[in-house]
Amino acid sequence: MSGQLVERKALRYTPAGIPVSEGRLQHASSQVESGIERKVELEIALLALGESARWLEAAPLGRSVAVSGFLAAKSRNSRTPVLHVNTLEYLEGNENGSILQEEG
């Protein structure tokens, strides 16, 4: 998913010392559904752990990025989806992009 990083909380650590970074990604695109083009806009929460958290923390707000990872519920009590970041790539200012984190 690509978009602009519009929010980022301060880097924090779990009790086990693992870095955690949270933020929000604003996405806008045109998609085709049943042969009809429609505009799609959304904001989604991001969560990154370990090295991914450090890369998310380093990404400037307002920067266009592409992230990949997986969706999971925010918690047992909140079924709101959160995108857990595995990779983060800058989309502006570098002709070929710059992959900041890649796992697996």
Side-chain angles (χ1 to χ4, degrees):
M1 173 178 284
S2 62
Q4 286 190 332
L5 186 61
V6 294
E7 180 183 318
R8 185 183 53 246
K9 296 180 181 176
L11 186 68
R12 63 182 176 85
Y13 293 85
T14 68
I18 299 170
V20 178
S21 185
E22 297 177 78
R24 293 193 70 75
L25 184 73
Q26 185 178 57
H27 170 83
S29 65
S30 294
Q31 302 294 322
V32 176
E33 181 178 35
S34 297
I36 300 170
E37 188 171 320
R38 64 178 281 199
K39 189 173 182 177
V40 176
E41 295 180 2
L42 66 91
E43 276 191 24
I44 190 161
L46 300 175
L47 177 69
L49 299 170
E51 285 301 309
S52 295
R54 295 184 196 284
W55 292 118
L56 182 59
E57 182 67 19
L61 289 178
R63 184 78 184 254
S64 291
V65 296
V67 297
S68 65
F70 62 93
L71 291 171
K74 184 174 181 175
S75 68
R76 274 190 240 170
N77 298 325
S78 173
R79 305 314 294 168
T80 302
V82 175
L83 179 57
H84 289 245
V85 177
N86 286 336
T87 65
L88 181 116
E89 180 180 355
Y90 288 148
L91 297 178
E92 296 176 349
N94 185 336
E95 181 178 314
N96 298 317
S98 176
I99 295 176
L100 295 179
Q101 171 67 27
E102 188 169 295
E103 294 181 359

